Amino acid sequence: MAYAAVVSLLQILEQIRLSDQFPVLYPKLQIESLYRKICSFQAFLEKNFPAQSNDVNDLEAQIRDAIHKAEDIIESHMLKFLPSESGSSSCKIFALDLEKLLQELDLMAANMTDHLSQISGLTPIASSRSAPSLGGKFVGLKDDLLRLKDQLIGESSRIKVVAVVGMAGIGKTTLVKEVYDDPSIGQIFHYRASAVMGPNYRKRDILLALLRSVDRDDSKFYGEVNDGQLTEIIYKNLKGRRYLIVLDDVCEVRAWDDLKSLFPDDGNGSRVMLTTRLRNVGLYAAGSTRNVHYIRFLNKDESWELLRDIVFAGKSCSYELEKIGKEIAENCQGLPLTIVLIGDILSRAAKTPEYWRKVADSQTSFATDGDDIGLSSVMQFLNDEHLPQHLKACFLYMGAFPLSYEIPVSKLIKLWVSEGFLKPKRSKTLENVAEECLEELFDRSLVLVHNSRSTSGIKTCSVHSSVWHLCVSAAEKDKFFLAINRYRNGNPPKSNGRRRLCIRKNILFAIKDVYNSMVSASTARSLLCIGPDHSHPLRVCLGFTFLRVLDVLTIRFHKFPDGILELVLLRYLALTCKAGDLPASVSKLCNLQFLIVRRHMSIKSSGDPSYLPFSIWNMKQLRHIQFMGGDLPNPCGAFLPNLLTLSNMSGHSCSKEVFEATPNLMKLGVRIELGEDTAAPLCLLDHLTHLMQLESFKCVIVNPTREFQVVARPGSVSIFPSTLKKITLSGCGFPWKDMKVLAQLPNLEALKLRCYAFQGREWELDEEDFIRLKFLLLEDMDIVEWRANGQILQRLERLHVRHCYNLREIPHGIDYITTLQLVEVVDCSPSVVDSAMRIKEMQEDLSNDDLQVLIESSWNDKTTKNGGAVRQTPPYP
């Protein structure tokens, strides 16, 4: 993780260069020299470290350790300067330390250049390879096989490129080979050829492989014919023929560009199939989402069927082994590669319940117990990812969370920003850079999406268990983080210079040996407590001088811990304590960017607002404040220029003075508890126009009654900033006629209405309403008639209607929206279900075969029509 360390140090140096927190006499010349030196290290790593070998990894580790040492020296001096009490003597000592550091880094730079030149000839070029064979077992892919064959033999006479996309080991190669070898395919395509590409492929090898598929005697091509001539030979062989070409494991767009000129389009139905882990490569080559085929994971039954076939080869299996075997198969999380490799081990080992139990247990405890039955082979294959430098730290960070943990992306992005390993980009916030990195990991099939955002992007995600084990193993090897899951008597965890500590079970703080071991991690930059909520007080280690990230949200504090106030380098703070318990001295945390305070759920707020201390306005680095039940006081002329998010505040923060003092706010969330804050809604919307950058607005009235109505209604569209993209309302009780105000917002993409956000029997939509809306949610509304005039919501992609018991039907205008991707209906009347199925039928007539209709119903008379999925749930009492 040398690159992550370098980027982190550059951000620290940039902070020193631009900040007014440091003395005038600080050693500027040495800081500038060091900044240039570290920039050269960054360029060196970007240029020279895609390659992988033990020698290269050792060199990268040396660079990492040197940068970490430099970071420790610089931040130790920052601790002296931040109180603004240091004099010229401290600056002179800082200058001397920097001079010594520059000399050491110069020597390091010379040595690593010589070292790299010596090992560059020994560094192997990654060979072309594909996924290990699934042993001829073809389970769970039969539907995929039929769809792929249909795409190949479809009516189109133009050449078509079909891309098969999925994570490593999911069965792409097996599926494509099955199609390629199918006799019916052989009868259609007169010329068939295949080649395996992989990372760092050589074009000549691919050309020869394609020729070898047809002409086994390829010796005549070696040494006599150049690449251009080989290309011409292949093109002439294909010209006029109906051909099928398979390219396995295409790893980049450039690779497709390098080969696509080989394939003539003679209008005879020729096809090219390629496999790739990268979604962007698949879409680029295929040219249309219709020609991209994503392979799913196996379900539980399919996983067990595959494992059973491999182990028993059609023979019987005892009930006891079957019970454990199903658990083993389920632990593989539907990845065929994992099932095949573990099945191979089980087929050669003793078929006893004791051994099978050991295998089942090792699958879930691998990271902590070191028992790698069946997983080392999986990880060895998955490790061949060749991630670019800027993604490696982001990827390994996924292993910090517990296995199968559903990670909120908003939290993940804040943590990445706070850690400092994201390379800044001009004209983009670090949050934008983080989102791009996450999308890249998703495009590489390394991240699984659980929920998508209502606008665009990923809301929650996770990684497959095999990928998670890889992250944990690589992070341990690279000293990226130390994850503590359990304690074994006499063997406390050793930090060994780890910069990040991840506590997956908070109760471990109560064990003296574990506590003392963590305290010894003097250079730790992060402490993440990401286990289940712990309701009882714990003695938490807070003595980490250099700490940047402190996430103790799952630990309950009776009062704000004084020790936190000494962590002046802190950038991210998340904890649970009493509302209103934030001390004025919190402003000592002058580097804090993310402040998240959760209130004890058992402690109710009083009728008076709980204001944050006025000193919060002195914390100029703040980007995000989430403080349930708290409010910003009157700024009295101060302002927070970097604040982007204000979340979970009560209505008292919605004042003109507060909004004028947070001019760059992009996200505002307000929570109002009736009976305690009922005056707040009167001015809730009055001052939103001062937020000219606002993109997301959320207002939740807690425990509303149907009789309650917000007095301050949206009278005109001028109340809302035109920049708004997302609005979430709950319990507000607006009349439906006020919906016209929201309908005129020019950039609104997502509208979520919950719990009588609007009240009344009728809502009428017109063609000019919501011209950009992509996401609409209606939940717990009392609406009866929902009517539409003309062609409505022409950009709508997702419609969710939940618990609207009185609604008669979804309007007919939605039938004709060609952008629809999903219609979900949960516990509505049978007539609403019928209208959802009507939409499905109409969309099929419009050739929108990708539309999903999901229905959950507790009504007695429910039906399944035209492929719509109907899921039954128990009736409500």
Side-chain angles (χ1 to χ4, degrees), residues 133-169:
S133 170
L134 299 188
K137 303 299 181 182
F138 199 72
V139 175
L141 297 176
K142 293 181 175 61
D143 290 341
D144 299 82
L145 174 64
L146 293 175
R147 285 197 294 270
L148 265 184
K149 288 174 64 176
D150 287 343
Q151 286 184 295
L152 293 181
I153 61 179
E155 296 180 357
S156 174
S157 60
R158 297 293 303 274
I159 185 174
K160 181 194 292 185
V161 179
V162 179
V164 180
V165 180
M167 72 172 288

Side-chain angles (χ1 to χ4, degrees), residues 44-290:
F44 178 85
L45 289 167
E46 290 175 339
K47 178 181 179 181
N48 295 292
F49 281 82
Q52 295 292 324
S53 73
N54 289 335
D55 290 325
V56 170
N57 291 337
D58 289 343
L59 178 57
E60 191 173 10
Q62 294 174 31
I63 299 172
R64 176 202 64 209
D65 293 343
I67 298 299
H68 281 168
K69 179 182 177 182
E71 191 174 65
D72 291 343
I73 292 172
I74 293 169
E75 289 196 319
S76 65
H77 282 285
M78 289 177 65
L79 291 171
K80 300 174 185 177
F81 290 131
L82 287 176
S84 301
E85 297 174 357
S86 302
S88 59
S89 60
S90 295
C91 293
K92 290 179 180 178
I93 296 173
F94 192 15
L96 291 173
D97 284 346
L98 288 175
E99 286 290 349
K100 182 179 178 180
L101 182 59
L102 282 166
Q103 293 174 10
E104 292 177 356
L105 291 177
D106 283 338
L107 181 61
M108 175 73 188
N111 289 339
M112 70 185 188
T113 302
D114 293 340
H115 190 84
L116 188 64
S117 64
Q118 293 173 12
I119 66 177
S120 59
L122 304 176
T123 303
I125 297 175
S127 60
S128 298
R129 55 93 182 99
S130 62
S133 170
L134 299 188
K137 303 299 181 182
F138 199 72
V139 175
L141 297 176
K142 293 181 175 61
D143 290 341
D144 299 82
L145 174 64
L146 293 175
R147 285 197 294 270
L148 265 184
K149 288 174 64 176
D150 287 343
Q151 286 184 295
L152 293 181
I153 61 179
E155 296 180 357
S156 174
S157 60
R158 297 293 303 274
I159 185 174
K160 181 194 292 185
V161 179
V162 179
V164 180
V165 180
M167 72 172 288
I170 203 168
K172 301 184 298 294
T173 301
T174 300
L175 175 63
V176 169
K177 186 178 186 303
E178 190 78 12
V179 175
Y180 183 85
D181 292 337
D182 190 288
S184 64
I185 295 296
Q187 293 174 1
I188 295 172
F189 296 97
H190 312 136
Y191 188 106
R192 288 181 295 165
S194 64
V196 179
M197 299 189 68
N200 296 334
Y201 75 97
R202 292 191 301 181
K203 184 176 180 179
R204 183 177 184 82
D205 292 339
I206 304 304
L207 296 175
L208 289 171
L210 292 175
L211 285 171
R212 192 179 297 119
S213 294
V214 179
D215 188 349
R216 298 293 179 182
D217 182 19
D218 60 3
S219 59
K220 59 187 177 184
F221 299 118
Y222 284 110
E224 301 177 3
V225 182
N226 61 35
D227 289 1
Q229 291 171 318
L230 286 175
T231 300
E232 185 177 355
I233 291 171
I234 294 175
Y235 186 87
K236 288 182 177 179
N237 279 342
L238 297 179
K239 187 67 177 173
R241 295 182 175 180
R242 191 177 192 184
Y243 58 82
L244 171 63
I245 304 296
V246 170
L247 300 174
D248 193 20
D249 199 16
V250 181
C251 293
E252 54 183 326
V253 167
R254 181 180 62 85
W256 170 249
D257 285 339
D258 214 13
L259 296 174
K260 64 182 181 181
S261 62
L262 287 172
F263 312 122
D265 185 3
D266 295 316
N268 58 5
S270 293
R271 301 289 184 256
V272 178
M273 269 198 305
L274 61 87
T275 71
T276 180
R277 305 181 195 182
L278 307 175
R279 294 169 185 266
N280 65 318
V281 171
L283 183 58
Y284 176 81
S288 168
T289 56
R290 290 182 177 275

